[in-house]
Amino acid sequence: MQLRFLTPFVFLAFFTFKLQAQTTVKEVLDGAVTRLYQQLTPAQLDTISDEYILDFLSAQERQILATRYWTFEVNAPVVVSLMRDQAQKVPPFWLAKSGFQKTTMQVKNEEYTYEVWQKKFNKGTVQLGINGFDKHRPVYFISVGPQKKGDKVKIARVLPANQQFREMKVGAFTYHDWDDLVLEEVPESLRGQILFTTIRGRAREAHLKNAFRQTLYPSQPRPDQVVLNLSGDPKTTMDVQWRTRPNVTKGQVLYWKAQTKDTVRTEASMITIEDRLLRNDRYINHFSAHLKGLQPATTYYYRVGSASGGWSEVASFKTQAATPEGFSFIWFGDTHKSPDWGAMAQKTLARHPEISFYSIIGDLVSTGLNRDEWDEFFHHSGNVLSYKPLMPIPGNHDSQDGLGAAMYQQLFSLPTNGPAQLPKERTYSFEYQNALFVMIDGTFLNHEQTAWIEQQLANSKAKWKFVMLHFPPYNFEEDYSQIRKEWGVLFDRYHVDMVMSGHVHYYMRSKPMKAEKIVETPKNGTIYTISISIPSHHKEWPEEPYAAARFQSGPVYQHIRIDGNRLVYRCLDPDGKVKDELTIEK
Ligand SMILES: [Fe+2]
Ligand SMILES: [Fe+2]
């Protein structure tokens, strides 16, 4: 009898213990934010302080935030040194309480000076807490050394997983998303220790102070943000995406050929996308459908939605012709979710209704994990992306602080044929008629992509070869000699016709280049271009000897027409005035 009563209790106790043992910092924050939304007005959310937050959290939640940000095991007694940017106003709430002591030592890089805090740990588990409730981007990092000289310290079971280690020394970098920022001053006693590198994105893990945002364009039951992509064969497939409020859980694409009434249905898959700090629209449902078995060179009309949520306006798209008969496309430099870009993009659809697709060369938005910025991006674009597929690449703003480009990947449906070891849909290639497009996410390290890039260029029989890459190999602002050395040689070897870039916020078209030298004609060199879809300002405007044309500001866009052996490239302003032009004959 006793056992019968005891068993559920023991089980429950064990289960509760298990739950507690596994609760993460993220789960604590998810729950806390939910309660904050229930209890505070938007105005109050903007005023919460460290004291308020600590009081608002339960003792158990505080304990998790104080211990589960970084955990690992050591095989010997160690001293953990924690480098905290001295400009961060409020030290982590747990730091002094847990026994860390501030030393007189300092660690410096070019930008920041870090206080060094230390604590001794016995062999076993080391647990460290959050960086703070602010979003202080230069987050703390640590180094670990033995208490007893000569002990060889081994680190195991690190959480978060995939921890990387370096040697603590002058010249070491600490943030993977900013590996040019290296330590310039390291006290003698810390040199040679095990340095735990990190990413600046970790500053967001417990961000609550001045953290909440609202979107001007919240989701509705009725679909919006309808966007086309090409993830498969452009002759026979098309990808359609849209979003709704989270209470709409099903969606379909209804589509039909021009002049027919035979409607075909394709079910969409659905994911919920969360932006925890978006106070008026935290969750949306995002739908994605892959239409197959389409006829080449055919216009289809379509709408998306569901009986419960409603339907979108009818839009249309055209599939690629079965044999190369010539095509055109438009590409934009950095758009940064700008209304200037959006107004220009809307005019381009009316002016160039024949184009096959649009590309954007990265920095679509300014903060890639903030969904309110994507809402602005889609809002400003009107409906152009529901008529022409978008084939973008990410820039440094779409993939930020080492946290990746999750929202970019969720919002678009792009080819998954990129380098096997890298996240999908960020670097990819596709062919359209007689042209190859190698779309490179330049935020990944060069050498991780080199072999893949060479494969794409070597294996393609396409007549025209284009590379899209956010960072411009030739420009006056940033040194991309590494890109020229590692990838430029491939562009030379396989004769890439044009490289399209952005990032530096001006317009430039180079003379034909080979082996970093100006050559006679595009027949034996590559044209490097940079563009910008928003107004921009450059104080300095030094000469660029390789430049054939330059403009200090946008917005401008590029229209490229290919007919067999002939390519006509034009750069136009929002009113359609041609500002720069080039014809290449093969
Ligand atoms: Fe950029
Ligand atoms: Fe940019």
Side-chain angles (χ1 to χ4, degrees), residues 51-73:
E51 297 73 30
Y52 181 89
I53 296 163
L54 287 171
D55 193 49
F56 183 84
L57 298 170
S58 70
Q60 190 197 325
E61 287 173 328
R62 283 196 299 272
Q63 177 64 14
I64 290 164
L65 300 192
T67 53
R68 291 191 197 158
Y69 172 85
W70 225 337
T71 65
F72 53 94
E73 282 175 16

mmCIF file with all atom_site columns, all heavy atoms in Angstrom, residues 51-73:
data_model
loop_
_atom_site.group_PDB
_atom_site.id
_atom_site.type_symbol
_atom_site.label_atom_id
_atom_site.label_alt_id
_atom_site.label_comp_id
_atom_site.label_asym_id
_atom_site.label_entity_id
_atom_site.label_seq_id
_atom_site.pdbx_PDB_ins_code
_atom_site.Cartn_x
_atom_site.Cartn_y
_atom_site.Cartn_z
_atom_site.occupancy
_atom_site.B_iso_or_equiv
_atom_site.pdbx_formal_charge
_atom_site.auth_seq_id
_atom_site.auth_comp_id
_atom_site.auth_asym_id
_atom_site.auth_atom_id
_atom_site.pdbx_PDB_model_num
ATOM 1   N N   . GLU A 1 51 ? 17.196 45.955 -11.116 1.00 0.00 ? 51 GLU A N   1
ATOM 2   C CA  . GLU A 1 51 ? 16.568 45.620 -9.822  1.00 0.00 ? 51 GLU A CA  1
ATOM 3   C C   . GLU A 1 51 ? 15.182 45.035 -10.062 1.00 0.00 ? 51 GLU A C   1
ATOM 4   O O   . GLU A 1 51 ? 14.800 44.043 -9.451  1.00 0.00 ? 51 GLU A O   1
ATOM 5   C CB  . GLU A 1 51 ? 16.435 46.869 -8.929  1.00 0.00 ? 51 GLU A CB  1
ATOM 6   C CG  . GLU A 1 51 ? 17.739 47.515 -8.509  1.00 0.00 ? 51 GLU A CG  1
ATOM 7   C CD  . GLU A 1 51 ? 18.438 48.254 -9.640  1.00 0.00 ? 51 GLU A CD  1
ATOM 8   O OE1 . GLU A 1 51 ? 17.737 48.767 -10.550 1.00 0.00 ? 51 GLU A OE1 1
ATOM 9   O OE2 . GLU A 1 51 ? 19.684 48.298 -9.657  1.00 0.00 ? 51 GLU A OE2 1
ATOM 10  N N   . TYR A 1 52 ? 14.437 45.667 -10.960 1.00 0.00 ? 52 TYR A N   1
ATOM 11  C CA  . TYR A 1 52 ? 13.080 45.184 -11.230 1.00 0.00 ? 52 TYR A CA  1
ATOM 12  C C   . TYR A 1 52 ? 13.132 43.751 -11.753 1.00 0.00 ? 52 TYR A C   1
ATOM 13  O O   . TYR A 1 52 ? 12.389 42.881 -11.302 1.00 0.00 ? 52 TYR A O   1
ATOM 14  C CB  . TYR A 1 52 ? 12.371 46.089 -12.255 1.00 0.00 ? 52 TYR A CB  1
ATOM 15  C CG  . TYR A 1 52 ? 10.963 45.623 -12.539 1.00 0.00 ? 52 TYR A CG  1
ATOM 16  C CD1 . TYR A 1 52 ? 9.893  46.069 -11.773 1.00 0.00 ? 52 TYR A CD1 1
ATOM 17  C CD2 . TYR A 1 52 ? 10.720 44.662 -13.535 1.00 0.00 ? 52 TYR A CD2 1
ATOM 18  C CE1 . TYR A 1 52 ? 8.608  45.596 -12.010 1.00 0.00 ? 52 TYR A CE1 1
ATOM 19  C CE2 . TYR A 1 52 ? 9.441  44.182 -13.771 1.00 0.00 ? 52 TYR A CE2 1
ATOM 20  C CZ  . TYR A 1 52 ? 8.391  44.658 -13.008 1.00 0.00 ? 52 TYR A CZ  1
ATOM 21  O OH  . TYR A 1 52 ? 7.127  44.179 -13.224 1.00 0.00 ? 52 TYR A OH  1
ATOM 22  N N   . ILE A 1 53 ? 14.034 43.504 -12.676 1.00 0.00 ? 53 ILE A N   1
ATOM 23  C CA  . ILE A 1 53 ? 14.102 42.169 -13.294 1.00 0.00 ? 53 ILE A CA  1
ATOM 24  C C   . ILE A 1 53 ? 14.470 41.118 -12.247 1.00 0.00 ? 53 ILE A C   1
ATOM 25  O O   . ILE A 1 53 ? 13.851 40.060 -12.160 1.00 0.00 ? 53 ILE A O   1
ATOM 26  C CB  . ILE A 1 53 ? 15.127 42.153 -14.451 1.00 0.00 ? 53 ILE A CB  1
ATOM 27  C CG1 . ILE A 1 53 ? 14.676 43.105 -15.572 1.00 0.00 ? 53 ILE A CG1 1
ATOM 28  C CG2 . ILE A 1 53 ? 15.296 40.743 -15.008 1.00 0.00 ? 53 ILE A CG2 1
ATOM 29  C CD1 . ILE A 1 53 ? 15.776 43.481 -16.546 1.00 0.00 ? 53 ILE A CD1 1
ATOM 30  N N   . LEU A 1 54 ? 15.469 41.437 -11.420 1.00 0.00 ? 54 LEU A N   1
ATOM 31  C CA  . LEU A 1 54 ? 15.906 40.453 -10.416 1.00 0.00 ? 54 LEU A CA  1
ATOM 32  C C   . LEU A 1 54 ? 14.777 40.149 -9.436  1.00 0.00 ? 54 LEU A C   1
ATOM 33  O O   . LEU A 1 54 ? 14.598 39.012 -9.006  1.00 0.00 ? 54 LEU A O   1
ATOM 34  C CB  . LEU A 1 54 ? 17.139 40.972 -9.673  1.00 0.00 ? 54 LEU A CB  1
ATOM 35  C CG  . LEU A 1 54 ? 18.411 40.946 -10.536 1.00 0.00 ? 54 LEU A CG  1
ATOM 36  C CD1 . LEU A 1 54 ? 19.550 41.666 -9.829  1.00 0.00 ? 54 LEU A CD1 1
ATOM 37  C CD2 . LEU A 1 54 ? 18.810 39.509 -10.888 1.00 0.00 ? 54 LEU A CD2 1
ATOM 38  N N   . ASP A 1 55 ? 14.009 41.168 -9.106  1.00 0.00 ? 55 ASP A N   1
ATOM 39  C CA  . ASP A 1 55 ? 12.889 40.990 -8.202  1.00 0.00 ? 55 ASP A CA  1
ATOM 40  C C   . ASP A 1 55 ? 11.754 40.197 -8.869  1.00 0.00 ? 55 ASP A C   1
ATOM 41  O O   . ASP A 1 55 ? 11.059 39.416 -8.237  1.00 0.00 ? 55 ASP A O   1
ATOM 42  C CB  . ASP A 1 55 ? 12.403 42.380 -7.782  1.00 0.00 ? 55 ASP A CB  1
ATOM 43  C CG  . ASP A 1 55 ? 11.466 42.291 -6.612  1.00 0.00 ? 55 ASP A CG  1
ATOM 44  O OD1 . ASP A 1 55 ? 11.846 41.601 -5.651  1.00 0.00 ? 55 ASP A OD1 1
ATOM 45  O OD2 . ASP A 1 55 ? 10.358 42.880 -6.678  1.00 0.00 ? 55 ASP A OD2 1
ATOM 46  N N   . PHE A 1 56 ? 11.608 40.416 -10.152 1.00 0.00 ? 56 PHE A N   1
ATOM 47  C CA  . PHE A 1 56 ? 10.540 39.779 -10.932 1.00 0.00 ? 56 PHE A CA  1
ATOM 48  C C   . PHE A 1 56 ? 10.791 38.269 -11.092 1.00 0.00 ? 56 PHE A C   1
ATOM 49  O O   . PHE A 1 56 ? 9.863  37.466 -11.104 1.00 0.00 ? 56 PHE A O   1
ATOM 50  C CB  . PHE A 1 56 ? 10.483 40.462 -12.307 1.00 0.00 ? 56 PHE A CB  1
ATOM 51  C CG  . PHE A 1 56 ? 9.386  39.980 -13.201 1.00 0.00 ? 56 PHE A CG  1
ATOM 52  C CD1 . PHE A 1 56 ? 8.097  40.494 -13.091 1.00 0.00 ? 56 PHE A CD1 1
ATOM 53  C CD2 . PHE A 1 56 ? 9.635  39.016 -14.171 1.00 0.00 ? 56 PHE A CD2 1
ATOM 54  C CE1 . PHE A 1 56 ? 7.074  40.061 -13.921 1.00 0.00 ? 56 PHE A CE1 1
ATOM 55  C CE2 . PHE A 1 56 ? 8.618  38.577 -15.016 1.00 0.00 ? 56 PHE A CE2 1
ATOM 56  C CZ  . PHE A 1 56 ? 7.339  39.107 -14.889 1.00 0.00 ? 56 PHE A CZ  1
ATOM 57  N N   . LEU A 1 57 ? 12.059 37.884 -11.180 1.00 0.00 ? 57 LEU A N   1
ATOM 58  C CA  . LEU A 1 57 ? 12.404 36.475 -11.369 1.00 0.00 ? 57 LEU A CA  1
ATOM 59  C C   . LEU A 1 57 ? 12.307 35.717 -10.048 1.00 0.00 ? 57 LEU A C   1
ATOM 60  O O   . LEU A 1 57 ? 12.538 36.289 -8.983  1.00 0.00 ? 57 LEU A O   1
ATOM 61  C CB  . LEU A 1 57 ? 13.835 36.362 -11.906 1.00 0.00 ? 57 LEU A CB  1
ATOM 62  C CG  . LEU A 1 57 ? 14.108 37.006 -13.273 1.00 0.00 ? 57 LEU A CG  1
ATOM 63  C CD1 . LEU A 1 57 ? 15.617 37.017 -13.548 1.00 0.00 ? 57 LEU A CD1 1
ATOM 64  C CD2 . LEU A 1 57 ? 13.361 36.269 -14.381 1.00 0.00 ? 57 LEU A CD2 1
ATOM 65  N N   . SER A 1 58 ? 11.996 34.422 -10.139 1.00 0.00 ? 58 SER A N   1
ATOM 66  C CA  . SER A 1 58 ? 11.990 33.603 -8.927  1.00 0.00 ? 58 SER A CA  1
ATOM 67  C C   . SER A 1 58 ? 13.436 33.280 -8.543  1.00 0.00 ? 58 SER A C   1
ATOM 68  O O   . SER A 1 58 ? 14.358 33.430 -9.366  1.00 0.00 ? 58 SER A O   1
ATOM 69  C CB  . SER A 1 58 ? 11.226 32.305 -9.180  1.00 0.00 ? 58 SER A CB  1
ATOM 70  O OG  . SER A 1 58 ? 11.968 31.489 -10.064 1.00 0.00 ? 58 SER A OG  1
ATOM 71  N N   . ALA A 1 59 ? 13.610 32.811 -7.291  1.00 0.00 ? 59 ALA A N   1
ATOM 72  C CA  . ALA A 1 59 ? 14.962 32.456 -6.826  1.00 0.00 ? 59 ALA A CA  1
ATOM 73  C C   . ALA A 1 59 ? 15.555 31.375 -7.731  1.00 0.00 ? 59 ALA A C   1
ATOM 74  O O   . ALA A 1 59 ? 16.738 31.407 -8.065  1.00 0.00 ? 59 ALA A O   1
ATOM 75  C CB  . ALA A 1 59 ? 14.899 31.975 -5.385  1.00 0.00 ? 59 ALA A CB  1
ATOM 76  N N   . GLN A 1 60 ? 14.704 30.454 -8.127  1.00 0.00 ? 60 GLN A N   1
ATOM 77  C CA  . GLN A 1 60 ? 15.186 29.359 -8.979  1.00 0.00 ? 60 GLN A CA  1
ATOM 78  C C   . GLN A 1 60 ? 15.618 29.884 -10.355 1.00 0.00 ? 60 GLN A C   1
ATOM 79  O O   . GLN A 1 60 ? 16.630 29.469 -10.914 1.00 0.00 ? 60 GLN A O   1
ATOM 80  C CB  . GLN A 1 60 ? 14.071 28.334 -9.124  1.00 0.00 ? 60 GLN A CB  1
ATOM 81  C CG  . GLN A 1 60 ? 14.514 27.053 -9.780  1.00 0.00 ? 60 GLN A CG  1
ATOM 82  C CD  . GLN A 1 60 ? 13.332 26.250 -10.274 1.00 0.00 ? 60 GLN A CD  1
ATOM 83  O OE1 . GLN A 1 60 ? 12.275 26.238 -9.661  1.00 0.00 ? 60 GLN A OE1 1
ATOM 84  N NE2 . GLN A 1 60 ? 13.514 25.581 -11.387 1.00 0.00 ? 60 GLN A NE2 1
ATOM 85  N N   . GLU A 1 61 ? 14.848 30.822 -10.877 1.00 0.00 ? 61 GLU A N   1
ATOM 86  C CA  . GLU A 1 61 ? 15.211 31.399 -12.178 1.00 0.00 ? 61 GLU A CA  1
ATOM 87  C C   . GLU A 1 61 ? 16.525 32.183 -12.087 1.00 0.00 ? 61 GLU A C   1
ATOM 88  O O   . GLU A 1 61 ? 17.381 32.080 -12.968 1.00 0.00 ? 61 GLU A O   1
ATOM 89  C CB  . GLU A 1 61 ? 14.086 32.322 -12.676 1.00 0.00 ? 61 GLU A CB  1
ATOM 90  C CG  . GLU A 1 61 ? 12.864 31.552 -13.153 1.00 0.00 ? 61 GLU A CG  1
ATOM 91  C CD  . GLU A 1 61 ? 11.688 32.475 -13.490 1.00 0.00 ? 61 GLU A CD  1
ATOM 92  O OE1 . GLU A 1 61 ? 11.544 33.545 -12.848 1.00 0.00 ? 61 GLU A OE1 1
ATOM 93  O OE2 . GLU A 1 61 ? 10.916 32.115 -14.381 1.00 0.00 ? 61 GLU A OE2 1
ATOM 94  N N   . ARG A 1 62 ? 16.670 32.936 -11.014 1.00 0.00 ? 62 ARG A N   1
ATOM 95  C CA  . ARG A 1 62 ? 17.923 33.691 -10.834 1.00 0.00 ? 62 ARG A CA  1
ATOM 96  C C   . ARG A 1 62 ? 19.114 32.735 -10.773 1.00 0.00 ? 62 ARG A C   1
ATOM 97  O O   . ARG A 1 62 ? 20.166 32.986 -11.338 1.00 0.00 ? 62 ARG A O   1
ATOM 98  C CB  . ARG A 1 62 ? 17.860 34.533 -9.548  1.00 0.00 ? 62 ARG A CB  1
ATOM 99  C CG  . ARG A 1 62 ? 17.031 35.793 -9.680  1.00 0.00 ? 62 ARG A CG  1
ATOM 100 C CD  . ARG A 1 62 ? 17.319 36.762 -8.534  1.00 0.00 ? 62 ARG A CD  1
ATOM 101 N NE  . ARG A 1 62 ? 17.011 36.219 -7.221  1.00 0.00 ? 62 ARG A NE  1
ATOM 102 C CZ  . ARG A 1 62 ? 15.810 36.301 -6.636  1.00 0.00 ? 62 ARG A CZ  1
ATOM 103 N NH1 . ARG A 1 62 ? 14.796 36.879 -7.254  1.00 0.00 ? 62 ARG A NH1 1
ATOM 104 N NH2 . ARG A 1 62 ? 15.626 35.781 -5.443  1.00 0.00 ? 62 ARG A NH2 1
ATOM 105 N N   . GLN A 1 63 ? 18.880 31.617 -10.072 1.00 0.00 ? 63 GLN A N   1
ATOM 106 C CA  . GLN A 1 63 ? 19.938 30.617 -9.928  1.00 0.00 ? 63 GLN A CA  1
ATOM 107 C C   . GLN A 1 63 ? 20.360 30.063 -11.294 1.00 0.00 ? 63 GLN A C   1
ATOM 108 O O   . GLN A 1 63 ? 21.547 29.877 -11.576 1.00 0.00 ? 63 GLN A O   1
ATOM 109 C CB  . GLN A 1 63 ? 19.405 29.490 -9.001  1.00 0.00 ? 63 GLN A CB  1
ATOM 110 C CG  . GLN A 1 63 ? 20.338 28.322 -8.798  1.00 0.00 ? 63 GLN A CG  1
ATOM 111 C CD  . GLN A 1 63 ? 21.630 28.748 -8.090  1.00 0.00 ? 63 GLN A CD  1
ATOM 112 O OE1 . GLN A 1 63 ? 21.723 29.856 -7.531  1.00 0.00 ? 63 GLN A OE1 1
ATOM 113 N NE2 . GLN A 1 63 ? 22.633 27.882 -8.141  1.00 0.00 ? 63 GLN A NE2 1
ATOM 114 N N   . ILE A 1 64 ? 19.394 29.835 -12.154 1.00 0.00 ? 64 ILE A N   1
ATOM 115 C CA  . ILE A 1 64 ? 19.702 29.316 -13.502 1.00 0.00 ? 64 ILE A CA  1
ATOM 116 C C   . ILE A 1 64 ? 20.483 30.355 -14.302 1.00 0.00 ? 64 ILE A C   1
ATOM 117 O O   . ILE A 1 64 ? 21.473 30.036 -14.958 1.00 0.00 ? 64 ILE A O   1
ATOM 118 C CB  . ILE A 1 64 ? 18.400 28.880 -14.219 1.00 0.00 ? 64 ILE A CB  1
ATOM 119 C CG1 . ILE A 1 64 ? 17.859 27.614 -13.541 1.00 0.00 ? 64 ILE A CG1 1
ATOM 120 C CG2 . ILE A 1 64 ? 18.629 28.629 -15.710 1.00 0.00 ? 64 ILE A CG2 1
ATOM 121 C CD1 . ILE A 1 64 ? 16.424 27.295 -13.860 1.00 0.00 ? 64 ILE A CD1 1
ATOM 122 N N   . LEU A 1 65 ? 20.061 31.621 -14.212 1.00 0.00 ? 65 LEU A N   1
ATOM 123 C CA  . LEU A 1 65 ? 20.773 32.675 -14.951 1.00 0.00 ? 65 LEU A CA  1
ATOM 124 C C   . LEU A 1 65 ? 22.179 32.902 -14.398 1.00 0.00 ? 65 LEU A C   1
ATOM 125 O O   . LEU A 1 65 ? 23.056 33.416 -15.086 1.00 0.00 ? 65 LEU A O   1
ATOM 126 C CB  . LEU A 1 65 ? 19.990 33.990 -14.915 1.00 0.00 ? 65 LEU A CB  1
ATOM 127 C CG  . LEU A 1 65 ? 18.583 33.978 -15.522 1.00 0.00 ? 65 LEU A CG  1
ATOM 128 C CD1 . LEU A 1 65 ? 18.065 35.408 -15.673 1.00 0.00 ? 65 LEU A CD1 1
ATOM 129 C CD2 . LEU A 1 65 ? 18.557 33.276 -16.869 1.00 0.00 ? 65 LEU A CD2 1
ATOM 130 N N   . ALA A 1 66 ? 22.375 32.503 -13.130 1.00 0.00 ? 66 ALA A N   1
ATOM 131 C CA  . ALA A 1 66 ? 23.691 32.699 -12.509 1.00 0.00 ? 66 ALA A CA  1
ATOM 132 C C   . ALA A 1 66 ? 24.642 31.541 -12.783 1.00 0.00 ? 66 ALA A C   1
ATOM 133 O O   . ALA A 1 66 ? 25.833 31.632 -12.472 1.00 0.00 ? 66 ALA A O   1
ATOM 134 C CB  . ALA A 1 66 ? 23.524 32.876 -11.001 1.00 0.00 ? 66 ALA A CB  1
ATOM 135 N N   . THR A 1 67 ? 24.131 30.455 -13.344 1.00 0.00 ? 67 THR A N   1
ATOM 136 C CA  . THR A 1 67 ? 24.977 29.253 -13.435 1.00 0.00 ? 67 THR A CA  1
ATOM 137 C C   . THR A 1 67 ? 24.953 28.540 -14.789 1.00 0.00 ? 67 THR A C   1
ATOM 138 O O   . THR A 1 67 ? 25.784 27.688 -15.048 1.00 0.00 ? 67 THR A O   1
ATOM 139 C CB  . THR A 1 67 ? 24.541 28.215 -12.382 1.00 0.00 ? 67 THR A CB  1
ATOM 140 O OG1 . THR A 1 67 ? 23.131 27.995 -12.532 1.00 0.00 ? 67 THR A OG1 1
ATOM 141 C CG2 . THR A 1 67 ? 24.851 28.679 -10.967 1.00 0.00 ? 67 THR A CG2 1
ATOM 142 N N   . ARG A 1 68 ? 24.005 28.829 -15.649 1.00 0.00 ? 68 ARG A N   1
ATOM 143 C CA  . ARG A 1 68 ? 23.890 27.980 -16.846 1.00 0.00 ? 68 ARG A CA  1
ATOM 144 C C   . ARG A 1 68 ? 24.161 28.701 -18.164 1.00 0.00 ? 68 ARG A C   1
ATOM 145 O O   . ARG A 1 68 ? 23.723 28.262 -19.215 1.00 0.00 ? 68 ARG A O   1
ATOM 146 C CB  . ARG A 1 68 ? 22.510 27.315 -16.882 1.00 0.00 ? 68 ARG A CB  1
ATOM 147 C CG  . ARG A 1 68 ? 22.409 26.305 -15.787 1.00 0.00 ? 68 ARG A CG  1
ATOM 148 C CD  . ARG A 1 68 ? 21.228 25.422 -15.881 1.00 0.00 ? 68 ARG A CD  1
ATOM 149 N NE  . ARG A 1 68 ? 21.050 24.795 -14.589 1.00 0.00 ? 68 ARG A NE  1
ATOM 150 C CZ  . ARG A 1 68 ? 19.939 24.287 -14.153 1.00 0.00 ? 68 ARG A CZ  1
ATOM 151 N NH1 . ARG A 1 68 ? 18.863 24.318 -14.924 1.00 0.00 ? 68 ARG A NH1 1
ATOM 152 N NH2 . ARG A 1 68 ? 19.879 23.749 -12.960 1.00 0.00 ? 68 ARG A NH2 1
ATOM 153 N N   . TYR A 1 69 ? 24.838 29.805 -18.069 1.00 0.00 ? 69 TYR A N   1
ATOM 154 C CA  . TYR A 1 69 ? 25.223 30.507 -19.300 1.00 0.00 ? 69 TYR A CA  1
ATOM 155 C C   . TYR A 1 69 ? 26.408 29.792 -19.950 1.00 0.00 ? 69 TYR A C   1
ATOM 156 O O   . TYR A 1 69 ? 26.499 29.660 -21.161 1.00 0.00 ? 69 TYR A O   1
ATOM 157 C CB  . TYR A 1 69 ? 25.563 31.946 -18.936 1.00 0.00 ? 69 TYR A CB  1
ATOM 158 C CG  . TYR A 1 69 ? 26.159 32.793 -20.036 1.00 0.00 ? 69 TYR A CG  1
ATOM 159 C CD1 . TYR A 1 69 ? 25.336 33.449 -20.956 1.00 0.00 ? 69 TYR A CD1 1
ATOM 160 C CD2 . TYR A 1 69 ? 27.547 32.979 -20.135 1.00 0.00 ? 69 TYR A CD2 1
ATOM 161 C CE1 . TYR A 1 69 ? 25.889 34.260 -21.948 1.00 0.00 ? 69 TYR A CE1 1
ATOM 162 C CE2 . TYR A 1 69 ? 28.096 33.787 -21.124 1.00 0.00 ? 69 TYR A CE2 1
ATOM 163 C CZ  . TYR A 1 69 ? 27.263 34.419 -22.022 1.00 0.00 ? 69 TYR A CZ  1
ATOM 164 O OH  . TYR A 1 69 ? 27.808 35.218 -23.002 1.00 0.00 ? 69 TYR A OH  1
ATOM 165 N N   . TRP A 1 70 ? 27.302 29.323 -19.094 1.00 0.00 ? 70 TRP A N   1
ATOM 166 C CA  . TRP A 1 70 ? 28.522 28.643 -19.569 1.00 0.00 ? 70 TRP A CA  1
ATOM 167 C C   . TRP A 1 70 ? 28.869 27.603 -18.511 1.00 0.00 ? 70 TRP A C   1
ATOM 168 O O   . TRP A 1 70 ? 29.062 27.974 -17.340 1.00 0.00 ? 70 TRP A O   1
ATOM 169 C CB  . TRP A 1 70 ? 29.667 29.651 -19.655 1.00 0.00 ? 70 TRP A CB  1
ATOM 170 C CG  . TRP A 1 70 ? 30.490 29.589 -20.903 1.00 0.00 ? 70 TRP A CG  1
ATOM 171 C CD1 . TRP A 1 70 ? 30.636 28.521 -21.746 1.00 0.00 ? 70 TRP A CD1 1
ATOM 172 C CD2 . TRP A 1 70 ? 31.298 30.648 -21.435 1.00 0.00 ? 70 TRP A CD2 1
ATOM 173 N NE1 . TRP A 1 70 ? 31.474 28.862 -22.782 1.00 0.00 ? 70 TRP A NE1 1
ATOM 174 C CE2 . TRP A 1 70 ? 31.889 30.157 -22.620 1.00 0.00 ? 70 TRP A CE2 1
ATOM 175 C CE3 . TRP A 1 70 ? 31.582 31.952 -21.042 1.00 0.00 ? 70 TRP A CE3 1
ATOM 176 C CZ2 . TRP A 1 70 ? 32.751 30.925 -23.406 1.00 0.00 ? 70 TRP A CZ2 1
ATOM 177 C CZ3 . TRP A 1 70 ? 32.434 32.712 -21.824 1.00 0.00 ? 70 TRP A CZ3 1
ATOM 178 C CH2 . TRP A 1 70 ? 33.009 32.208 -22.994 1.00 0.00 ? 70 TRP A CH2 1
ATOM 179 N N   . THR A 1 71 ? 28.911 26.337 -18.861 1.00 0.00 ? 71 THR A N   1
ATOM 180 C CA  . THR A 1 71 ? 29.308 25.321 -17.881 1.00 0.00 ? 71 THR A CA  1
ATOM 181 C C   . THR A 1 71 ? 30.328 24.372 -18.504 1.00 0.00 ? 71 THR A C   1
ATOM 182 O O   . THR A 1 71 ? 30.298 24.132 -19.710 1.00 0.00 ? 71 THR A O   1
ATOM 183 C CB  . THR A 1 71 ? 28.103 24.483 -17.380 1.00 0.00 ? 71 THR A CB  1
ATOM 184 O OG1 . THR A 1 71 ? 27.578 23.743 -18.482 1.00 0.00 ? 71 THR A OG1 1
ATOM 185 C CG2 . THR A 1 71 ? 27.005 25.332 -16.789 1.00 0.00 ? 71 THR A CG2 1
ATOM 186 N N   . PHE A 1 72 ? 31.213 23.852 -17.669 1.00 0.00 ? 72 PHE A N   1
ATOM 187 C CA  . PHE A 1 72 ? 32.195 22.873 -18.151 1.00 0.00 ? 72 PHE A CA  1
ATOM 188 C C   . PHE A 1 72 ? 32.823 22.158 -16.968 1.00 0.00 ? 72 PHE A C   1
ATOM 189 O O   . PHE A 1 72 ? 32.587 22.539 -15.809 1.00 0.00 ? 72 PHE A O   1
ATOM 190 C CB  . PHE A 1 72 ? 33.278 23.533 -19.025 1.00 0.00 ? 72 PHE A CB  1
ATOM 191 C CG  . PHE A 1 72 ? 33.976 24.712 -18.384 1.00 0.00 ? 72 PHE A CG  1
ATOM 192 C CD1 . PHE A 1 72 ? 35.173 24.550 -17.687 1.00 0.00 ? 72 PHE A CD1 1
ATOM 193 C CD2 . PHE A 1 72 ? 33.439 25.986 -18.483 1.00 0.00 ? 72 PHE A CD2 1
ATOM 194 C CE1 . PHE A 1 72 ? 35.825 25.647 -17.119 1.00 0.00 ? 72 PHE A CE1 1
ATOM 195 C CE2 . PHE A 1 72 ? 34.084 27.087 -17.899 1.00 0.00 ? 72 PHE A CE2 1
ATOM 196 C CZ  . PHE A 1 72 ? 35.268 26.915 -17.217 1.00 0.00 ? 72 PHE A CZ  1
ATOM 197 N N   . GLU A 1 73 ? 33.586 21.126 -17.287 1.00 0.00 ? 73 GLU A N   1
ATOM 198 C CA  . GLU A 1 73 ? 34.267 20.382 -16.225 1.00 0.00 ? 73 GLU A CA  1
ATOM 199 C C   . GLU A 1 73 ? 35.768 20.494 -16.373 1.00 0.00 ? 73 GLU A C   1
ATOM 200 O O   . GLU A 1 73 ? 36.278 20.559 -17.495 1.00 0.00 ? 73 GLU A O   1
ATOM 201 C CB  . GLU A 1 73 ? 33.829 18.918 -16.251 1.00 0.00 ? 73 GLU A CB  1
ATOM 202 C CG  . GLU A 1 73 ? 32.466 18.780 -15.615 1.00 0.00 ? 73 GLU A CG  1
ATOM 203 C CD  . GLU A 1 73 ? 31.885 17.394 -15.706 1.00 0.00 ? 73 GLU A CD  1
ATOM 204 O OE1 . GLU A 1 73 ? 32.647 16.446 -15.996 1.00 0.00 ? 73 GLU A OE1 1
ATOM 205 O OE2 . GLU A 1 73 ? 30.674 17.279 -15.501 1.00 0.00 ? 73 GLU A OE2 1
#
